[in-house]
Amino acid sequence: MSGKKFEFDYEVFDDISKLDEKDAWLLREARNVTENAYAPYSEFHVGAVAMLANGQVVAGTNQENASYPVGICAERVLLGNAATLYKDVPIETLAISYISKSKTEEIKSDHPISPCGMCRQALLEYETRTKKPIRLILSGQEGKVFIIQTAKFLLPFAFTPEELI
Ligand code: THU
């Protein structure tokens, strides 16, 4: 038997004012684009905004459906938009934010959330196929900001296309 360990470093900032201007701008955009989410069922509005290697900016928001499993997360909407508009262009940085509009519960948007498992799988393959790590900026509408250097860190033991060869 041999023991193994998976760990990674990430950065923690107290708030948006501690980021450099480019990152702060991207995070502000992600916070604002939560307004375009269609989330009448969960009332949990997620916004994602990416800076591409060609300098273009692409966004995504979660889009729900009365048939609940049809709904799609902000991150995968963004990846579809990026791949369609700018084929094969890597994503350099992706900011993700959220706000809850629940009328019954007060869910604060004061801490980072990270992508769901399905989105991690999609982000990883996007990185692999464009041959560039996607740097993640995670934060609520206020409070701490996490910066993670690559989406790959979020999915150890991933299932990858090599398994299919
Ligand atoms: N959601 C996202 O858009 N991204 C995530 O990373 C987590 C969850 C959406 C899916 C659903 O519309 C709502 O948030 C509540 O789960």
Side-chain angles (χ1 to χ4, degrees):
M1 198 284 270
S2 70
K4 305 264 188 202
K5 186 157 72 173
F6 175 84
E7 58 183 5
F8 67 90
D9 293 319
Y10 63 101
E11 295 166 283
V12 180
F13 298 84
D14 280 343
D15 59 60
I16 194 170
S17 71
K18 306 290 190 301
L19 301 183
D20 73 33
E21 190 36 51
K22 271 168 81 177
D23 288 345
W25 182 84
L26 211 60
L27 176 54
R28 271 196 300 274
E29 291 293 302
R31 286 175 173 176
N32 291 338
V33 84
T34 57
E35 284 304 316
N36 294 0
Y38 175 66
Y41 307 104
S42 72
E43 300 179 300
F44 194 79
H45 297 229
V46 183
V49 176
M51 177 60 72
L52 273 53
N54 64 1
Q56 297 292 329
V57 175
V58 175
T61 54
N62 55 328
Q63 300 294 318
E64 298 185 347
N65 191 278
S67 173
Y68 294 172
V70 175
I72 180 167
C73 295
E75 293 88 334
R76 278 173 295 129
V77 169
L78 181 145
L79 293 179
N81 288 342
T84 306
L85 292 168
Y86 305 106
K87 188 172 186 285
D88 298 331
V89 177
I91 292 171
E92 285 185 342
T93 304
L94 166 55
I96 303 165
S97 189
Y98 67 97
I99 189 165
S100 170
K101 304 234 174 175
S102 171
K103 287 157 206 91
T104 49
E105 288 164 273
E106 209 220 324
I107 300 171
K108 284 203 171 123
S109 178
D110 60 358
H111 61 279
I113 58 158
S114 58
C116 79
M118 200 184 275
C119 290
R120 292 174 194 211
Q121 182 75 23
L123 288 164
L124 176 62
E125 193 150 329
Y126 207 95
E127 282 189 338
T128 315
R129 79 169 156 115
T130 57
K131 301 184 180 62
K132 195 171 172 92
I134 300 176
R135 188 168 157 269
L136 300 172
I137 301 176
L138 311 176
S139 186
Q141 295 292 326
E142 59 181 357
K144 286 200 178 0
V145 182
F146 294 170
I147 298 192
I148 301 172
Q149 290 307 323
T150 165
K152 189 178 174 178
F153 287 165
L154 296 180
L155 197 63
F157 287 88
F159 184 80
T160 65
E162 283 85 72
E163 316 295 351
L164 302 175
I165 296 164

